[in-house]
Amino acid sequence: MPIRRLSPLLVNQIAAGEVVERPASVVKELVENAIDAEATRIRIEIDRGGHERIEVVDDGNGIDREELPLALESHATSKIVEPSDLDGVSTMGFRGEALASIASVSRVVIRSRARNADEASLIEGEGDRREGPRPAAGPVGTSVAVHQLFGRVPARRKFLKSEAAEMRRISRIVQRLSMSHPDIAFTLVSNGRTTLELQARSSTRKRVLDVMGPELDEQMLDLDVSRDGVRLWGLVGLPEVARPTSQHQQIYLNGRPISDRSISHALREAYRGLIEPSRHPTAVLFLQVEPTRVDVNVHPAKTEVRFRDDRLVHSVVRRGILECLEAADLTPNLGVSPQVETPGSRRLFGAGGSGAAGRGGSGHVSNTFDRSEGRGPRGFEMDEARRVAQDMAQVPPAIPSPVPSAPVLQVHKTFLVTEDERGLVIIDQHALHERVMFERLLARVESGPLPSQRLLVPEVIDADTSHFEGLDRLEPLMARLGLEATPSGPRTIALHAVPVLLFERGVSGAAFFRDLLERAGEGDLLIADQEEALREVLDMMACKAAVKAGDQLTARELADLIEMRESIERSSNCPHGRPTSLRLSMEDLERQFGRR
Ligand code: ADP
Ligand code: MG
């Protein structure tokens, strides 16, 4: 075939492939246009999941009659003029191709009235056919109706999901856009029924709670930090409101919703050890960066961006959230609801029943966080906690620690009960010891390899191919972990040295190492990310070396453990993210005993 110039229609249809993937992307483009037009109310009407009709009505600035044909033309925009404008785009749109692309794959009707115009005008476009503009009735603002999306491109129409699935996506995108524009009222209507109604709000926090659920109010922390020209603000959820999917995670750059792997990673890092790895933190993050320091023009739908300095952004996000969480008291409060008498408190002390008191359990015991007094008792900086931990080489520490102010009671060789300034604290001895040890190991390994104990006689481990593979993969980490091992035969590996910690805690080095080889061999460890893998191994070590439920602790050990709880950041959760301690506040106790 000879080379030919594509017709404008075909060009637009090709562009449409990138910009308008599905009904939700049309909704996104139309709502963004309404936002750019300074609307205060935006109404989105959807028929049959958007297959049939998508209509977005706003009360914004409108479009002059003479300009209406241009709105439907590709590469026509009112938002940028010259190349240098691309360096500082502050509007949601700027590419000038959305409406043209949409019209190339559907029938579009725009009715608009500019603020200073006496009447509205209407233009219709379908493929390369245009009709209008002609006078019409209508209020100031714009409505854009999209009929029969992909009606002209049957191949694309086939790819649309069920109406319900498309509607879910639409709903999600409207929610996302609404959170960065709390001052705009949004209404979403599906098949004539209102499914989302958001009134204008004076703060982002209020809007986010409207969208995510007002019950999260107590569990969402406010965040606002700035560093080197990067501002990060928004709301981050306490660990207990982490979700099984990343649905409740929203990231915005200069008001525009984006997805960015590096920022998501930084967010996950900040919650490391506070939530279980399979769960996702709840967070709405707004990044404000000089427009010149970010390229928003790398993705047709503008959902991905490129930062000039993505390391800085990563670090601001990670540290900012980390500090915010550190400043909060994360020990879950065992709030006992007032109507309930003994059953609630009996449960606390583990008298049979279903064990842990969690939300959604009996309803008698709610696992709410009590943050009414602001900062928690641990005012330590992470680094200081690390240094403290580092000083204590042994478990339990050899240095006599000061006599603790609060008495400690070991209950059924499993839980420790003590007090702090807010009330009664119940600790899971294994979980806390594991957390303390993990932090200590982490601090140690950052300042050099873990102290290692050479074995007089190497321990020989039976090994299969997967163990050998594991050995290969672990190789780069072994020295730092205080481990030394070599293949000693076709089916054996000799273990020459183990970390002092395991040795001292009486943990079988061979059994531990075999487990480790197995996990590494099966690809269970994220060896590609060495720091991540290192933490996982330390986590395994801490778990192995920690006291277990059923271990009787001496008075000294009890005291030391309580001491450690105070000095270690994030002691509220074990490395797997489960809580290490729970608190029953004085208020709750007083209420229970009828003192209030
Ligand atoms: P872009 O938003 O990238 O400029 P679009 O194709 O989405 O490109 O829109 C083209 C132009 O049409 C916009 O630049 C704007 O001037 C005008 N326009 C589109 N929608 C609206 C609206 N809801 N209100 C006012 N003007 C609009
Ligand atoms: Mg646009």
Side-chain angles (χ1 to χ4, degrees):
M1 248 197 339
I3 302 179
R4 263 176 296 201
R5 219 176 272 281
L6 297 174
S7 73
L9 176 60
L10 202 45
V11 169
N12 285 339
Q13 287 185 343
I14 291 170
E18 299 177 316
V19 188
V20 288
E21 239 183 315
R22 51 181 358 110
S25 21
V26 173
V27 170
K28 174 177 181 289
E29 294 295 337
L30 300 186
V31 172
E32 286 185 348
N33 280 346
I35 293 172
D36 284 343
E38 302 175 317
T40 67
R41 307 194 62 85
I42 301 177
R43 179 181 172 87
I44 303 117
E45 292 183 17
I46 308 292
D47 286 338
R48 305 200 41 218
H51 300 185
E52 198 60 40
R53 179 178 69 109
I54 295 168
E55 184 159 354
V56 174
V57 186
D58 68 55
D59 63 353
N61 296 332
I63 308 170
D64 286 326
R65 183 172 300 167
E66 317 77 75
E67 289 187 6
L68 266 180
L70 274 175
L72 280 173
E73 241 172 67
S74 61
H75 313 302
T77 178
S78 56
K79 300 171 192 177
I80 55 174
V81 181
E82 25 181 287
S84 63
D85 291 342
L86 261 186
D87 292 337
V89 185
S90 61
T91 48
M92 306 286 285
F94 59 85
R95 299 170 62 105
E97 59 182 359
L99 290 179
S101 301
I102 296 167
S104 75
V105 293
S106 65
R107 185 166 69 87
V108 174
V109 181
I110 308 178
R111 179 194 298 261
S112 190
R113 181 169 148 200
R115 289 207 186 281
N116 51 3
D118 303 330
E119 58 177 355
S121 316
L122 190 138
I123 189 171
E124 200 176 313
E126 181 177 13
D128 44 17
R129 179 181 67 84
R130 296 288 178 270
E131 240 183 78
R134 57 183 158 81
V140 170
T142 305
S143 83
V144 180
V146 176
H147 300 273
Q148 301 287 324
L149 181 62
F150 300 130
R152 304 166 51 84
V153 203
R156 294 291 299 281
R157 203 170 166 89
K158 274 209 309 257
F159 282 101
L160 295 181
K161 295 239 168 24
S162 72
E163 288 173 22
E166 296 295 351
M167 199 54 217
R168 268 196 301 279
R169 286 173 189 261
I170 290 172
S171 205
R172 234 177 272 154
I173 194 74
V174 172
Q175 292 180 347
R176 282 195 90 176
L177 289 167
S178 79
M179 287 195 277
S180 52
H181 296 89
D183 49 337
I184 302 177
F186 288 84
T187 307
L188 176 60
V189 177
S190 170
N191 298 329
R193 203 171 57 85
T194 301
T195 59
L196 183 72
E197 178 93 72
L198 297 166
Q199 59 179 107
R201 289 296 205 170
S202 56
S203 79
T204 299
R205 183 179 179 88
K206 287 192 181 128
R207 170 59 59 80
V208 168
L209 292 171
D210 284 343
V211 171
M212 288 192 168
E215 71 279 2
L216 284 179
D217 192 16
E218 288 278 293
Q219 289 122 314
M220 297 298 282
L221 305 170
D222 288 313
L223 169 77
D224 197 344
V225 292
S226 294
R227 208 178 90 205
D228 299 333
V230 178
R231 175 169 173 227
L232 171 74
W233 61 281
L235 290 82
V236 292
L238 290 173
E240 72 153 15
V241 293
R243 310 276 170 134
T245 70
S246 55
Q247 214 52 232
H248 277 63
Q249 237 170 57
Q250 309 290 348
I251 303 166
Y252 299 83
L253 172 72
N254 297 344
R256 212 184 257 130
I258 57 161
S259 66
D260 186 278
R261 290 184 49 164
S262 163
I263 297 174
S264 301
H265 180 263
L267 172 61
R268 208 164 37 212
E269 280 284 303
Y271 279 81
R272 171 197 294 292
L274 289 179
I275 60 178
E276 294 177 38
S278 62
R279 298 180 77 81
H280 301 263
T282 294
V284 183
L285 303 178
F286 295 91
L287 271 160
Q288 222 74 48
V289 178
E290 262 294 291
T292 51
R293 290 168 65 179
V294 55
D295 188 354
V296 291
N297 191 24
V298 292
H299 188 274
K302 299 157 298 194
T303 50
E304 279 166 33
V305 299
R306 202 176 289 136
F307 292 101
R308 297 275 139 85
D309 188 353
D310 53 355
R311 295 251 297 279
L312 170 67
V313 173
H314 185 279
S315 145
V316 170
V317 172
R318 194 182 69 88
R319 283 228 61 92
I321 299 175
L322 203 65
E323 279 158 18
C324 176
L325 291 171
E326 277 171 16
D329 179 0
L330 302 180
T331 299
N333 187 37
L334 278 167
V336 184
S337 60
Q339 317 85 288
V340 187
E341 284 144 38
T342 32
S345 36
R346 218 185 293 137
R347 248 174 88 107
L348 284 183
F349 295 99
S354 49
R359 166 163 306 131
S362 65
H364 296 331
V365 181
S366 66
N367 190 7
T368 51
F369 286 84
D370 184 356
R371 293 178 291 107
S372 47
E373 276 157 39
R375 268 150 209 272
R378 297 175 298 284
F380 273 105
E381 279 292 291
M382 194 68 157
D383 290 342
E384 190 178 354
R386 290 240 166 98
R387 188 184 56 70
V388 170
Q390 224 161 309
D391 289 340
M392 320 248 180
Q394 292 172 354
V395 183
I399 331 157
S401 52
V403 181
S405 48
V408 192
L409 175 70
Q410 192 183 17
V411 179
H412 290 254
K413 298 183 188 166
T414 303
F415 299 110
L416 312 183
V417 177
T418 186
E419 66 170 7
D420 68 5
E421 73 279 17
R422 314 256 305 271
L424 180 99
V425 179
I426 306 165
I427 296 163
D428 176 327
Q429 65 183 39
H430 169 72
L432 176 61
H433 196 198
E434 179 180 351
R435 156 57 56 192
V436 163
M437 224 142 23
F438 173 77
E439 288 296 341
R440 204 184 283 170
L441 284 167
L442 198 59
R444 262 324 268 257
V445 90
E446 272 166 18
S447 65
L450 294 185
S452 176
Q453 171 78 48
R454 282 204 80 77
L455 304 174
L456 283 178
V457 184
E459 289 226 44
V460 177
I461 298 169
D462 291 331
D464 61 23
T465 23
S466 103
H467 293 112
F468 282 108
E469 217 164 285
L471 186 62
D472 276 350
R473 292 196 190 146
L474 283 169
E475 199 62 62
L477 287 176
M478 300 255 292
R480 292 174 74 187
L481 289 164
L483 283 163
E484 198 188 315
T486 49
S488 59
R491 288 225 162 73
T492 51
I493 291 172
L495 179 63
H496 304 284
V498 297
V500 169
L501 172 80
L502 292 181
F503 194 75
E504 279 180 353
R505 296 288 304 157
V507 176
S508 153
F512 169 79
F513 192 57
R514 197 159 192 282
D515 272 9
L516 186 58
L517 289 180
E518 223 148 79
R519 285 193 57 190
E522 280 159 16
D524 253 15
L525 286 175
L526 264 174
I527 301 284
D529 181 344
Q530 283 218 10
E531 294 311 305
E532 183 93 24
L534 193 70
R535 287 193 180 96
E536 279 192 47
V537 178
L538 296 181
D539 193 2
M540 279 176 74
M541 273 191 202
C543 185
K544 280 266 154 51
V547 298
K548 303 287 180 304
D551 288 353
Q552 180 73 58
L553 303 185
T554 65
R556 168 95 287 149
E557 285 171 326
L558 287 179
D560 285 333
L561 215 53
I562 300 297
E563 275 281 303
M564 293 317 283
R565 175 169 182 270
E566 294 301 307
S567 64
I568 297 270
E569 281 301 341
R570 337 191 113 201
S571 67
S572 64
N573 295 72
C574 77
H576 306 296
R578 292 188 299 270
T580 62
S581 25
L582 300 168
R583 182 187 292 112
L584 186 56
S585 69
M586 284 308 286
E587 298 92 85
D588 281 330
L589 280 169
E590 283 163 2
R591 215 180 293 125
Q592 284 296 299
F593 285 105
R595 285 176 168 272
R596 291 194 160 206

